Amino acid sequence: MIKRIVFALPLLLNKLVKRTNWYKNQQLDKTNYPDNDWYRNHLERNYDVVNVGSSSGVYDFDYTGLDVKAFNWALQPQSLEYSFKVLKTYFSILKRKGIVIIPFSPFSGLSVTGKWAATAYDKYFTILDETMLDDYEAVRRRNLYPLLAHPKTALKRLLKDEPRITSSRNCNKCTTAQDFENDSQRWMKIWQNQFHIPDLDAPMSEENKLGAASRKKLLMEMIDFCLVRDLRPVLVLAPAHPSLSSKFTKKFRENYIYSFIRDANPHKALFLDYLDDSRFLDDKDFDNSFFLSVEGARKFTKIVLEDCSQQ
């Protein structure tokens, strides 16, 4: 009897852990991905547009109120590799000539391989096939048995749970000019440390050249994937608050952004550059120096779709 209790207790605790907000906050909203369950509950087909992308894609695209059928598949964070995997899994929801928005930030041309924790990919467990997940067994184990994977945190959250996250917008918001300036400096420090770039105007390092080459190849494959399936890939460089965009020099932009786009886009898919767009100079358009506010995102999304329809 005691042995049975000893063996059953961890399973019971694990089951309780999976009911916590802490565990649920790590899971993706499956209603945002048209899998078999989604199709059983929705008659919609032939979607107009989807976007992939990382953090900026989460904040910068909002299709609310627009006469368009769309999905925002950006995640925070999401590598270009996993953006492509999500697209390959769910692209069939799009109509012929449907738009695939591929957002870029100033450092999107550089590889993030090895710069994120392995657990960053655990969230894809419920939406991607196991053949697409790196180290699938480890991902599966962490998802199914959170108590074993994170015993201290799991037990802590059983005793005191965290609030349920109901929105992907969880950044610290800027309210003053100094807030925006401090935030822009923070972002620049993060990126320069992450990619080892002490001087923005210096030639790209050999390490970053190798990373950029692999990213170019991946983006080319992504564009080809869309074109072969009669979809419209659109590359988008979103607006940044002036406190941030002003820090990207002409030389940096050529070395890290524009040369990358040219080399990775021989088919000349539409490229829309809004980095310094004069329609986004008001602080109210931004949550911080890098992310658009809800109001700014809706305004921006409308502009992007209008520009896509005119070209």
Side-chain angles (χ1 to χ4, degrees), residues 121-310:
Y121 304 108
D122 288 1
K123 60 195 171 196
Y124 296 96
F125 178 69
T126 57
I127 66 165
L128 292 182
D129 185 79
E130 63 182 78
T131 58
M132 289 189 167
L133 290 170
D134 297 330
D135 198 2
Y136 170 75
E137 283 304 323
V139 171
R140 176 181 177 276
R141 190 164 54 248
R142 289 191 293 265
N143 270 272
L144 297 184
Y145 306 104
L147 178 65
L148 296 178
H150 310 284
K152 290 183 179 180
T153 304
L155 290 173
K156 179 181 177 181
R157 292 310 176 192
L158 274 178
L159 295 172
K160 185 178 180 181
D161 202 1
E162 62 186 26
R164 184 79 167 102
I165 295 176
T166 57
S167 171
S168 57
R169 291 180 169 271
N170 56 3
C171 70
N172 294 322
K173 295 187 179 182
C174 298
T175 57
T176 67
Q178 190 59 53
D179 285 342
F180 279 105
E181 177 57 31
N182 292 343
D183 187 69
S184 67
Q185 291 180 20
R186 181 181 67 85
W187 278 111
M188 294 304 296
K189 184 177 180 179
I190 290 172
W191 286 323
Q192 287 184 261
N193 287 339
Q194 183 178 29
F195 298 108
H196 307 114
I197 308 174
D199 181 359
L200 294 179
D201 285 344
M204 192 180 292
S205 69
E206 291 304 314
E207 177 189 7
N208 283 333
K209 284 181 181 178
L210 289 173
S214 67
R215 299 277 279 185
K216 288 174 188 176
K217 181 181 178 183
L218 185 58
L219 179 57
M220 289 175 69
E221 291 175 0
M222 204 166 178
I223 292 172
D224 285 343
F225 178 88
C226 294
L227 295 177
V228 166
R229 288 156 182 80
D230 206 11
L231 303 174
R232 288 186 62 198
V234 178
L235 315 182
V236 175
L237 185 59
H241 188 273
S243 63
L244 182 60
S245 63
S246 62
K247 292 178 171 56
F248 300 119
T249 66
K250 183 177 180 180
K251 188 171 290 186
F252 169 86
R253 295 179 189 215
E254 174 57 29
N255 288 341
Y256 287 87
I257 304 174
Y258 302 130
S259 63
F260 174 83
I261 296 294
R262 284 197 305 272
D263 292 347
N265 188 24
H267 295 297
K268 299 192 183 304
L270 181 61
F271 171 46
L272 301 174
D273 182 0
Y274 302 97
L275 186 58
D276 298 307
D277 196 295
S278 60
R279 290 168 290 187
F280 295 89
L281 299 177
D282 197 316
D283 289 354
K284 71 180 182 181
D285 288 328
F286 296 88
D287 273 351
N288 62 30
S289 65
F290 186 37
F291 299 149
L292 290 170
S293 63
V294 171
E295 181 178 351
R298 291 176 182 172
K299 177 173 128 180
F300 174 61
T301 305
K302 186 172 184 290
I303 289 172
V304 171
L305 295 181
E306 288 173 349
D307 288 346
C308 287
S309 68
Q310 294 170 8

Side-chain angles (χ1 to χ4, degrees), residues 29-34 38 70-74:
D29 177 8
K30 287 194 67 177
T31 63
N32 195 46
Y33 299 89
W38 186 94
F71 279 115
N72 184 339
W73 291 332

Side-chain angles (χ1 to χ4, degrees), residues 2 23 33 35 46 65 79 84 101-102 104 112 133 146 149 159 182 225 242 259 264 278:
I2 294 176
Y23 178 80
Y33 299 89
D35 60 7
N46 298 316
S79 66
F84 194 9
I101 296 175
I102 307 172
F104 282 85
V112 297
L133 290 170
L159 295 172
N182 292 343
F225 178 88
S259 63
S278 60

